[in-house]
Amino acid sequence: MEATRELYWNIGHGAAVLVPMYLITVAALALLGYYGYQRLRIYGKGKPLDRTGNRPERISMLVKNVLLQSRVLKVKGPGFAHGFFFWSFATLFAGTVLVALQADGTDLLLGVRFLTGTFYKVFSLVLDVAGLAALITLAGLFVRRYLVRPEGLETTRDDAVMHGLLFAIIVTGFLIEGARMAVTEVVQQPDLALWSPVGLMVAKILSGSQPGDLALVHRGLWWFHFVLVAAFICAIPFTKFRHIFTTSANYFFAPLGPKGALVTVDMEGDAESFGAAKIGDMTWKDIFDTDACTKCKRCQDRCPAHATEKPLSPMKVISQLGEVAREAVEDNLVEAVGKDALWSCTTCRACQEICPAAIEHVNKVVDIRRNLVLMEGEFPGDEVVTAMGNVEVNGNPLGMSFASRGDWAEGLPVTQLSEGAEVDILYFVGCYASFDKRNIKIATSFVKLCAAAGIRVGILGKEEKCCGEPMRKLGNEYLYQTLATENIETIKGYGVKKVVTACPHCFNTLSKDYRDLGFDVETEHYTTFLERLITDGKLKIDQGAFECTYHDSCYLGRYNDTYQAPRALVQAAGGTIREMERKEAESFCCGAGGGRIMAEEKLGSRISVKRVQMAAATGAGVLVSNCPFCLTMFEDGVKGAELEGLLVARDVSEILLERVVAAQAG
């Protein structure tokens, strides 16, 4: 006997079955389409934004992240469970489509059956295994959400509806299969029954019943299962089930430009307001993000502000914006989100890096900050007002005279471009390495390393101004653009071919944000620059064994995916790195980003203290970084954590310079 089965066994395949079945299906899809359209109208409340260019790349991202679950699998445990459930449920859906294709298509119209023989056996086995995998992973997710719920995981009616529907659909599917097999296969085709192991197990449990009773149970369960599937379709626009569409689409609409780059606001146009005060000031994509969010809390778990008892949860920010878009479009966004939450953000991008739905959190926070600063004149504290004033007057937030910006370089092998000497690179020093006593050592070390490698270094001296990044992230777009324009004109005026900076914030700003303002000079961070000098044999390093731990700064790591070059420099100097638990893409912010370097940390505990405690937990006595902001925060954090004498913060350039000096002395 050929390996196959009657697809509509005990149900029939006439008009009495097909008409109501397809009427219910069409009605469910119509409801899905109608309320889906209503949600499209909500997205339309936002401003236009083109996110359809370069479609091949967008389609590639869509396929990769939907079919392979790439972003979802970044988190072990629940990520893998969700991935397996998706693949299992997708397999069941594909199997249902094949059944409908044969039963209501090729067989009905052409008399062609393809669910036969070996293909049918494999088909049956795959669907049974997929159903069992879906049931097991769904049970695991249920236990996590309802029995051992992690702190901060919100559970709502949506979650109960989703778990209940999915569980009922899978279980009734196995009961239907078992009832059918108990009548048609357990005795009649036992070899074929083996290809449906779960169904066979259910069938053996039911086999004691009379065939007539099993037929009644089968028919009732079949229609109940069908109604459940229709209910699932209808529930999509009203529950988190909608993420099936919105999260998938969000992969297609993801930004393709430089990672982490903000939209440059036209400050010279005729706009009456700047930033986002109401939901209509945001883009349609910002609103769409709120529907793509599944409230998985991964962003919240990695937020340094939330981890240090500050009133910020990236997950709740997205949720609050979604509520405004759906229910109170005229509400003020600052009031909806909260000023303290907005000012607590360090723009570290940890939330976006881990988000399985590709939601863009940082730009929303900065957009609302822009309105607070540019339209309301509000800042997180008086100290920030003072710092902004210092930048306007002297080009730096520290209040130092602009004329003294190059004083640190006196007596060093470095040339000011105004003197007209030929140089190989322009070293964009940054504010802290120019004026802060501790950070001047970074600038000094870098210049001496370049001299040892025969690299001629030039600086702008008093002509250099703050890159503007802290001001921009705090919302002062006008001051940022003023500074950026002046720096760009100065650098391009000297015909500079290459810029190197030791500050990741300067690097990210010059290499990405300045591009919108016409800056096209190659820019590199000093870690990759020095690594290449060592690799090329231009910079000789004498190794000396030592142990340390290494901190991935947010703006070099998550913003620019540079993780190995700094580690290679440490290893080149003979260092052995004891990695912290939070490293690379999951690194924990130092607390200085988002302009917070200029603001006092008044809420919760200090982020820098928490990070140096992570460093101390490795047992290493040295905490190595590659950022002036990080070094500043860690110096304070070591004191705040009372780790003086146990942990010392150092820049990688200082360690390298010691080895160069030792080599030359030998």
Side-chain angles (χ1 to χ4, degrees):
M1 183 180 293
E2 185 179 36
T4 188
R5 67 177 172 88
E6 183 182 348
L7 295 183
Y8 280 97
W9 177 84
N10 192 45
I11 304 300
H13 201 215
V17 173
L18 293 180
V19 171
M21 184 175 71
Y22 278 99
L23 281 177
I24 293 173
T25 301
V26 170
L29 291 173
L31 185 68
L32 169 64
Y34 176 75
Y35 283 101
Y37 172 71
Q38 295 302 314
R39 300 200 80 82
L40 286 177
R41 294 180 63 185
I42 294 175
Y43 310 147
K45 296 175 183 178
K47 296 188 296 186
L49 178 68
D50 183 10
R51 284 291 179 86
T52 58
N54 197 349
R55 293 186 182 180
E57 184 175 354
R58 293 185 180 280
I59 292 172
S60 174
M61 290 194 301
L62 173 67
V63 171
K64 174 184 176 182
N65 287 298
V66 173
L67 297 186
L68 301 182
Q69 295 281 282
S70 300
R71 293 187 68 93
V72 171
L73 294 176
K74 283 186 176 182
V75 175
K76 298 177 181 178
F80 281 119
H82 185 283
F84 277 111
F85 181 81
F86 167 80
W87 292 317
S88 302
F89 204 76
T91 300
L92 294 174
F93 176 76
T96 302
V97 170
L98 289 176
V99 167
L101 180 62
Q102 175 177 298
D104 304 329
T106 62
D107 188 18
L108 184 66
L109 302 176
L110 305 173
V112 175
R113 298 182 179 182
F114 53 83
L115 293 175
T116 60
T118 302
F119 180 74
Y120 174 73
K121 291 179 181 179
V122 174
F123 170 84
S124 297
L125 179 61
V126 168
L127 260 62
D128 255 39
V129 172
L132 181 61
L135 201 59
I136 292 172
T137 52
L138 185 62
L141 291 169
F142 179 89
V143 169
R144 176 178 182 266
R145 180 168 292 277
Y146 290 100
L147 301 182
V148 292
R149 184 170 62 191
E151 182 181 355
L153 182 63
E154 297 182 352
T155 298
T156 64
R157 174 189 61 87
D158 277 13
D159 301 295
V161 170
M162 293 170 69
H163 276 86
L165 263 179
L166 292 171
F167 186 81
I169 288 172
I170 297 170
V171 169
T172 54
F174 278 129
L175 289 173
I176 292 166
E177 181 184 40
R180 175 188 61 78
M181 291 178 64
V183 177
T184 65
E185 290 184 14
V186 173
V187 175
Q188 297 88 338
Q189 294 180 283
D191 291 341
L192 180 61
L194 294 174
W195 291 90
S196 303
V198 182
L200 178 58
M201 181 179 67
V202 176
K204 287 182 177 180
I205 295 173
L206 299 175
S207 59
S209 301
Q210 293 297 317
D213 294 337
L214 287 174
L216 287 173
V217 170
H218 174 271
R219 187 178 298 112
L221 283 174
W222 193 94
W223 280 106
F224 181 57
H225 177 82
F226 182 77
V227 170
L228 287 175
V229 173
F232 169 80
I233 296 172
C234 293
I236 289 175
F238 305 104
T239 67
K240 286 194 291 187
F241 275 140
R242 60 180 169 269
H243 84 275
I244 296 171
F245 295 108
T246 54
T247 299
S248 298
N250 227 22
Y251 300 138
F252 180 85
F253 295 132
L256 297 182
K259 190 176 182 182
L262 297 176
V263 173
T264 299
V265 179
D266 182 4
M267 302 300 299
E268 298 181 354
D270 55 1
E272 296 181 358
S273 66
F274 300 99
K278 297 182 178 181
I279 202 69
D281 296 326
M282 290 191 152
T283 69
W284 68 264
K285 176 60 168 58
D286 290 322
I287 302 175
F288 188 81
D289 275 351
T290 68
D291 255 5
C293 178
T294 62
K295 296 184 179 179
C296 67
K297 85 179 187 72
R298 296 185 187 182
C299 58
Q300 179 176 287
D301 287 344
R302 280 155 184 77
C303 176
H306 187 270
T308 51
E309 303 87 43
K310 296 174 179 60
L312 171 63
S313 162
M315 177 182 72
K316 290 182 178 178
V317 169
I318 299 303
S319 177
Q320 289 158 341
L321 294 178
E323 290 175 6
V324 172
R326 292 187 297 272
E327 301 169 9
V329 70
E330 293 300 317
D331 278 10
N332 183 277
L333 298 183
V334 173
E335 295 177 1
V337 176
K339 291 181 182 178
D340 286 340
L342 290 167
W343 292 128
S344 293
C345 178
T346 67
T347 67
C348 70
R349 204 183 151 81
C351 51
Q352 288 185 218
E353 196 73 14
I354 198 63
C355 178
I359 290 168
E360 301 161 60
H361 306 75
V362 174
N363 62 302
K364 296 173 180 53
V365 170
V366 173
D367 241 7
I368 302 175
R369 284 180 173 182
R370 282 171 173 166
N371 189 265
L372 268 174
V373 171
L374 298 176
M375 305 308 299
E376 305 297 332
E378 290 196 34
F379 294 92
D382 291 339
E383 72 280 7
V384 177
V385 176
T386 300
M388 293 284 184
N390 290 336
V391 173
E392 291 177 354
V393 175
N394 285 308
N396 71 85
L398 302 175
M400 308 298 287
S401 168
F402 73 91
S404 63
R405 194 173 184 106
D407 289 357
W408 65 272
E410 186 175 350
L412 293 172
V414 62
T415 304
Q416 297 205 22
L417 295 190
S418 58
E419 298 174 359
E422 289 290 325
V423 298
D424 297 309
I425 63 168
L426 165 64
Y427 174 33
F428 193 90
V429 187
C431 300
Y432 276 76
S434 293
F435 297 113
D436 177 68
K437 183 178 180 180
R438 176 66 183 87
N439 278 286
I440 284 176
K441 293 181 180 179
I442 298 178
T444 301
S445 296
F446 176 67
V447 167
K448 289 181 178 180
L449 287 169
C450 287
I455 302 296
R456 297 171 298 176
V457 178
I459 61 172
L460 295 175
K462 65 181 180 180
E463 295 182 279
E464 179 186 297
K465 296 182 182 296
C466 176
C467 70
E469 188 271 344
M471 296 82 231
R472 188 182 207 198
K473 293 297 166 57
L474 278 173
N476 198 338
E477 181 76 8
Y478 177 80
L479 181 54
Y480 155 72
Q481 289 195 24
T482 300
L483 295 165
T485 300
E486 293 177 357
N487 280 327
I488 291 170
E489 290 178 354
T490 301
I491 294 172
K492 296 183 75 172
Y494 283 114
V496 172
K497 302 300 182 182
K498 184 180 182 66
V499 177
V500 178
T501 178
C503 176
H505 296 263
C506 294
F507 167 59
N508 190 72
T509 303
L510 269 67
S511 64
K512 296 177 182 176
D513 298 337
Y514 275 24
R515 306 299 166 177
D516 287 348
L517 301 174
F519 188 68
D520 56 2
V521 179
E522 180 188 357
T523 304
E524 187 173 9
H525 189 256
Y526 83 120
T527 53
T528 56
F529 181 74
L530 291 175
E531 182 195 25
R532 189 166 55 255
L533 291 180
I534 294 173
T535 301
D536 293 344
K538 296 180 180 179
L539 184 62
K540 304 293 185 181
I541 302 296
D542 182 22
Q543 291 193 346
F546 68 100
E547 286 192 339
C548 67
T549 189
Y550 171 72
H551 168 76
D552 289 286
S553 61
C554 304
Y555 276 76
L556 187 63
R558 279 186 290 268
Y559 275 81
N560 288 284
D561 298 314
T562 301
Y563 300 111
Q564 297 310 312
R567 287 175 170 80
L569 292 178
V570 172
Q571 292 164 358
T576 298
I577 300 175
R578 293 187 180 183
E579 296 284 5
M580 287 182 267
E581 182 180 355
R582 295 284 296 272
K583 63 176 183 176
E584 298 182 350
E586 295 186 16
S587 180
F588 194 84
C589 181
C590 72
R596 296 295 312 176
I597 186 72
M598 302 188 300
E600 294 179 11
E601 198 169 354
K602 302 172 183 176
L603 301 174
S605 57
R606 290 165 60 188
I607 296 173
S608 61
V609 169
K610 192 171 185 69
R611 186 52 168 170
V612 298
Q613 289 172 338
M614 294 180 189
T618 66
V622 179
L623 170 56
V624 179
S625 64
N626 56 55
C627 171
F629 285 9
C630 294
L631 186 62
T632 298
M633 300 303 287
F634 293 152
E635 293 265 311
D636 291 340
V638 167
K639 296 175 183 177
E642 298 182 351
L643 290 170
E644 294 171 283
L646 299 175
L647 184 69
V648 60
R650 305 200 69 192
D651 187 83
V652 67
S653 64
E654 297 175 302
I655 294 173
L656 288 174
L657 182 62
E658 290 174 353
R659 280 23 180 213
V660 169
V661 171
Q664 291 177 344

